[in-house]
Amino acid sequence: MADAATKAEQHVWVKSMDMPDDAIKIKGFDFNKGVKLDEVVKHFLTTGFQASNFGMAIEQINKMREHRSKPVNLSPEEEKLDPIYRPRSDCTIFLGYTSNMVSSGIRETIRFLAQHRMIDCIVTTAGGIEEDFIKCFAPTYLGDFSLKGKDLRPKVCEQKQHGTLWTPSKLIARLGKEIDNEESIYYWCYKNEIPVFSPAITDGSIGDLLFLHAYRNPGLVLDIVEDIKMMNSIAAHSKHSGMIILGGGLPKHHIHNANFMKGGADYGVFINTAQEFDGSDGGARPDEAVSWGKIKSSATPVKIFADATLVFPLLVSQTFAKDFKSDSNGQER
């Protein structure tokens, strides 16, 4: 028995390693101190699990913002660049999201960022474009996942938009101009010259309208290659860059690939519920992008495994909107 105990001790009583000085100690918020939302969120970093990832995401975004606030010194060659390619700040912030973000109340959070020019480039899906315009005509109501498709089909109304320009981004800018509605994300993108790329613009009701238009008025061409050139060039000419991506798929891949052209992004925050075992782009962890050179090896990107409708407004409240001050007209001061 004594021998058995001695052997057990050899396996159980292993000498602990000393923790590094900068190790984070787990500690949550003490509600005996009262309900203070900012303090609760501040303790997310030391809470563990996805709460700690949330805390690290705040740090990532604030690093982007800090870099972005620095004056950018352009070389003579950069001064000659087309304004769309010329770096506007020391850190270009790319925002990507799937269409369901615009269908939800996250639309207002995205609009806030575009309205006050807190981001530099947007990549989204066709639904991420058309849902914004649809809401300008009529509100979207809270539904039920159990509603039957056969009952919904007769209630769908198509809204035809006019404007025949050369690329999807120019089409989106024109629609943003024509909608002339301050509730629209893309009105503010047009007004603040924030390029919006939607490489799969035909994958939605806009595609249906373009299909009908092509028969009634043949000759319209949307040059996707020109948009890819523009998006990749914006990244390539950036001094530094950061990525904030809600969801996966097309927006995530295109933003990653654009940053590949500059040797990788410096910062990255990803919010989605996808797992890596299904082989999806959304499920791929940030380190996968590091292996491609889409994120710099020196970067510390963060992925939050969570529903973006829960996380993103709270994340913006602790970063972009934290020190935001507006005048009576809602404009930033």
Side-chain angles (χ1 to χ4, degrees):
M1 291 293 291
D3 289 343
T6 301
K7 289 181 179 180
E9 287 181 358
Q10 290 175 351
H11 293 291
V12 175
W13 302 113
V14 178
K15 181 177 175 57
S16 298
M17 295 177 61
D18 293 331
M19 295 299 293
D21 294 335
D22 59 350
I24 297 175
K25 296 178 181 178
I26 296 298
K27 186 177 182 180
F29 179 72
D30 183 357
F31 280 97
N32 286 310
K33 298 178 180 179
V35 180
K36 302 174 183 177
L37 182 59
D38 283 356
E39 287 298 313
V40 172
V41 175
K42 183 185 290 186
H43 279 75
F44 277 14
L45 181 63
T46 60
T47 297
F49 300 107
Q50 295 308 303
S52 289
N53 283 4
F54 182 93
M56 289 185 279
I58 291 175
E59 293 180 342
Q60 278 286 293
I61 292 178
N62 281 335
K63 286 179 181 178
M64 296 182 205
R65 296 175 63 226
E66 182 181 357
H67 236 142
R68 193 172 184 267
S69 66
K70 296 177 181 178
V72 57
N73 297 314
L74 300 177
S75 67
E77 291 74 21
E78 290 170 327
E79 290 281 5
K80 298 175 183 177
L81 290 172
D82 186 297
I84 198 71
Y85 303 133
R86 194 181 304 147
R88 298 178 178 180
S89 71
D90 200 50
C91 183
T92 301
I93 298 180
F94 292 82
L95 175 64
Y97 48 88
T98 46
S99 63
N100 51 355
M101 294 296 98
V102 181
S103 303
S104 74
I106 298 300
R107 177 203 186 207
E108 280 64 36
T109 304
I110 297 170
R111 187 212 62 215
F112 169 79
L113 298 177
Q115 180 178 356
H116 302 291
R117 207 172 182 177
M118 295 175 173
I119 41 99
D120 301 290
C121 180
I122 286 177
V123 181
T124 188
T125 58
I129 304 299
E130 60 199 27
E131 288 289 333
D132 178 73
F133 296 127
I134 289 170
K135 284 186 173 182
C136 290
F137 291 101
T140 298
Y141 296 93
L142 186 64
D144 189 322
F145 281 108
S146 64
L147 291 174
K148 295 181 180 179
K150 68 177 183 179
D151 296 330
L152 293 174
R153 175 68 178 126
K155 300 176 183 178
V156 176
C157 296
E158 290 187 53
Q159 301 290 333
K160 185 175 182 181
Q161 299 295 324
H162 298 282
T164 55
L165 294 175
W166 305 319
T167 67
S169 64
K170 290 180 181 178
L171 173 65
I172 295 164
R174 178 59 180 270
L175 293 176
K177 175 184 178 181
E178 296 296 333
I179 203 70
D180 194 25
N181 187 322
E182 293 189 358
E183 293 183 0
S184 167
I185 297 169
Y186 307 110
Y187 164 79
W188 289 108
C189 287
Y190 158 74
K191 191 168 184 179
N192 290 330
E193 298 182 319
I194 299 170
V196 180
F197 299 105
S198 186
I201 190 71
T202 56
D203 187 24
S205 60
I206 288 180
D208 298 337
L209 296 174
L210 292 173
F211 164 73
L212 296 172
H213 180 84
Y215 274 94
R216 294 172 183 172
N217 301 282
L220 174 63
V221 174
L222 292 178
D223 190 345
I224 296 176
V225 175
E226 184 63 27
D227 262 6
I228 295 298
K229 174 187 172 186
M230 187 185 301
M231 179 168 52
N232 290 358
S233 295
I234 289 172
H237 290 298
S238 296
K239 300 288 188 180
H240 301 88
S241 64
M243 305 185 287
I244 303 172
I245 304 175
L246 316 180
L250 180 146
K252 182 185 177 191
H253 183 263
H254 276 76
I255 291 175
H256 272 72
N257 205 61
N259 280 272
F260 179 47
M261 304 301 168
K262 70 171 286 294
D266 300 88
Y267 310 102
V269 171
F270 312 98
I271 307 172
N272 64 58
T273 56
Q275 303 288 333
E276 60 185 342
F277 55 73
D278 62 2
S280 68
D281 182 73
R285 300 198 179 218
D287 201 52
E288 184 265 349
V290 173
S291 72
W292 281 90
K294 298 172 182 177
I295 298 176
K296 288 184 176 178
S297 57
S298 58
T300 55
V302 179
K303 175 173 177 176
I304 306 174
F305 290 85
D307 180 342
T309 61
L310 291 171
V311 172
F312 193 54
L314 194 58
L315 191 57
V316 170
S317 77
Q318 300 300 307
T319 53
F320 294 102
K322 186 73 172 177
D323 51 5
F324 173 77
K325 296 178 181 178
S326 63
D327 58 24
S328 58
N329 296 317
Q331 298 301 306
E332 186 175 8
R333 291 192 284 112

